[in-house]
Structure formats: C-alpha cells, structure tokens
Amino acid sequence: MKKFTNTHLAILTSIIILISVIYSLIANEPLYKFSSIYQNATLMVSIITLAIHYNALKENKEKKKLILISLVVPIAVIIYIIIGFISWFNSGY
C-alpha cells in the first residue's frame, strides 16, 4: 500500500480548489465577495496549499513538474481573489 505523501496532498488540494472555482462560476458567485463559507474556505485552503506544495517539492524531486503545474491553481486563485476584491471594493460595494 502506498504512503499518503505531501505530493498526493498537494494534488488533492489543488483539485478541491479547482472544484470550488468551477462551482463558483456555475453558481455565478464570485469568490472575492466572501458571502459564504466555501468562499472563505477556498481562500484559506489556497494559502495553506502553498506550504503543502513547498514541502512536496522538497520531498519529491522526481515529480517536480507535476507539483509545479498543480501549484498554478492556488496561485491563480489567490491572484484572482486579490484583484477581484480590490475592484469590488473600489466600485463602492
């Protein structure tokens, strides 16, 4: 039986974040408005995932490309939330 490593956890959290982003697009609820618990959880998981990916990169040198590709998801979500929140705040809401 395989051991559950940081590499598996990094990929799993990226998939969970991606599912949350797809749900927010389908439900037409932007992630940056923080109006429900899943939007807050998406941001928190994205931040925690950065540390998990860092540990996975240190742990597994063979799957470096896969880990870096899965790292794109939380970084993109964090940038999207920051830009969206700034524009939402500046528009007067």
Side-chain angles (χ1 to χ4, degrees), residues 3 5-8 54-62:
K3 193 171 112 177
T5 61
N6 282 329
T7 305
H8 296 111
Y54 177 72
N55 287 335
L57 283 172
K58 289 192 325 187
E59 174 185 282
N60 196 344
K61 302 291 183 192
E62 297 86 35

Side-chain angles (χ1 to χ4, degrees), residues 18-37:
L18 198 57
I19 290 170
S20 177
V21 168
I22 291 170
Y23 172 76
S24 94
L25 290 173
I26 291 171
N28 200 17
E29 296 178 4
L31 287 173
Y32 54 83
K33 288 194 177 181
F34 301 115
S35 60
S36 69
I37 189 77

